[in-house]
Amino acid sequence: MGKGNKEGTSKQFRWTKPMEHLFLEILVEEAQKGNKPSNTFKAVSINRVVEAISKKFQVQCDAKHVENHLRTVKKQWQIICTIRGESGFGWDDNMKMFTCDRATYDAAVMAHKKYEPFLNKSIDHYDEMALVVGKDMATGSFARTFADIDLDDDNIDSVPIDCENEATEEVRTNVSSSGTSKRKRKKAQESVNDEQIKFVGEQLGKIANALEQFTADKTPHLYEEVMSMEVEGFNDDFLCSVFDYLVSHESEAKAFLVKSKKHRKIWLQKFSQG
């Protein structure tokens, strides 16, 4: 996430990484409590961020700073969603990063300079951004981000409300091949919608469970798991640096904890080169 250098009212206000972390942490909690009924957070949520930032970092933060930074995060999220829709890009959900070949990367950066900060690296606070500025925030759903399922209102409305009555009446008055076809199409469409809704529900359950599990303090466990990689040939100083980094990057810490020893070693080797 960017520094937000242009944000501020009467003077420049710089957002540091720890500030951004606290900003997202609070707004995630506020969204989960239902304080984002539309596309904007309630004033109580904004004020909570203002007070927390001002108190913890001893700075003069006001509502305008928070609102401006929220707009910055929304713009960043729009870029991320645009990249996800581009041909040639894959997505590593464990690492929270885009995957592509060198040719695709070079072409994308040349055509869209704004893509570069989000390519070839893990995206900080990806899950939190999805929850705070994702499209379906009114219901706390960001399954669209993970599953790319389209359940827009116009698709749902394409099934007539009284279709069951129509089908019943049609069978009573005219048992024809045309009527049978309509009933089959209706059932098939309903089946597809049911499967989509079921899948979205499953994804939401997994996401909510992951967030809930990580609310507890995992720091001691994370430290043990990171330092256990010493047997793979990594020295103490390097692993301590990795631990400090993961403590301030929750999404990457969660991904690290679920990886196998083999995949942790690969991640650590990449981290040492980066």
Side-chain angles (χ1 to χ4, degrees):
M1 291 173 59
K3 293 288 185 183
N5 293 337
K6 295 183 179 180
E7 297 171 19
T9 50
S10 60
K11 62 181 180 179
Q12 193 177 61
F13 186 91
R14 292 183 64 86
W15 284 86
T16 64
K17 290 292 183 182
M19 286 181 185
E20 291 177 335
H21 175 76
L22 183 58
F23 165 91
L24 287 171
E25 184 180 80
I26 293 173
L27 290 184
V28 164
E29 293 177 0
E30 292 297 304
Q32 290 174 328
K33 289 193 295 188
N35 285 334
K36 189 185 177 188
S38 59
N39 198 35
T40 13
F41 281 93
K42 292 182 177 180
V44 65
S45 303
I46 301 298
N47 290 335
R48 185 183 165 199
V49 177
V50 168
E51 293 172 5
I53 295 290
S54 299
K55 181 178 180 181
K56 182 170 183 177
F57 300 101
Q58 297 297 298
V59 294
Q60 184 60 49
C61 178
D62 61 34
K64 193 65 177 177
H65 294 135
V66 175
E67 291 166 355
N68 284 347
H69 195 59
L70 186 58
R71 281 193 285 272
T72 297
V73 176
K74 286 180 179 178
K75 289 177 183 177
Q76 293 172 341
W77 184 250
Q78 288 170 356
I79 294 171
I80 291 170
C81 291
T82 299
I83 298 173
R84 290 204 65 168
E86 293 274 6
S87 175
F89 286 100
W91 177 251
D92 184 332
D93 198 44
N94 284 329
M95 294 291 290
K96 305 300 177 188
M97 65 183 291
F98 292 105
T99 57
C100 65
D101 57 36
R102 184 69 192 184
T104 300
Y105 174 85
D106 291 340
V109 171
M110 183 175 294
H112 307 283
K113 191 67 178 177
K114 63 184 180 180
Y115 286 7
E116 189 170 12
F118 305 99
L119 300 178
N120 201 31
K121 59 177 288 188
S122 295
I123 299 175
D124 290 347
H125 309 302
Y126 177 87
D127 290 344
E128 291 81 357
M129 289 174 70
L131 193 55
V132 170
V133 296
K135 183 173 180 179
D136 293 332
M137 266 325 304
T139 59
S141 161
F142 50 104
R144 181 188 307 272
T145 303
F146 289 84
D148 296 322
I149 290 179
D150 191 355
L151 286 179
D152 288 332
D153 291 342
D154 52 352
N155 284 341
I156 296 174
D157 290 343
S158 66
V159 182
I161 295 175
D162 60 345
C163 61
E164 184 64 33
N165 291 336
E166 285 183 2
T168 303
E169 186 62 28
E170 186 173 13
V171 171
R172 287 175 181 172
T173 57
N174 183 14
V175 183
S176 64
S177 59
S178 175
T180 302
S181 297
K182 288 182 180 179
R183 290 176 63 201
K184 287 182 178 179
R185 284 197 301 272
K186 181 183 75 66
K187 288 182 178 179
Q189 190 172 26
E190 288 176 344
S191 177
V192 169
N193 286 338
D194 288 343
E195 286 300 314
Q196 288 178 328
I197 293 170
K198 179 181 177 182
F199 186 80
V200 169
E202 290 174 351
Q203 295 302 309
L204 284 175
K206 292 178 182 177
I207 293 164
N209 184 54
L211 288 173
E212 182 180 348
Q213 289 179 352
F214 210 78
T215 54
D217 185 7
K218 300 290 184 181
T219 307
H221 177 59
L222 177 63
Y223 179 79
E224 292 176 2
E225 293 299 314
V226 171
M227 300 310 293
S228 71
M229 295 302 293
E230 186 177 2
V231 298
E232 298 294 334
F234 300 99
N235 63 52
D236 278 349
D237 289 343
F238 171 71
L239 292 177
C240 284
S241 298
V242 171
F243 170 72
D244 291 339
Y245 173 84
L246 291 176
V247 165
S248 61
H249 294 76
E250 282 188 10
S251 59
E252 292 189 56
K254 287 185 283 187
F256 183 88
L257 289 173
V258 300
K259 290 179 186 296
S260 65
K261 284 274 187 182
K262 176 184 176 182
H263 290 152
R264 287 180 183 180
K265 185 175 181 179
I266 294 172
W267 186 91
L268 288 169
Q269 289 170 340
K270 289 182 179 178
F271 184 85
S272 67
Q273 297 167 2

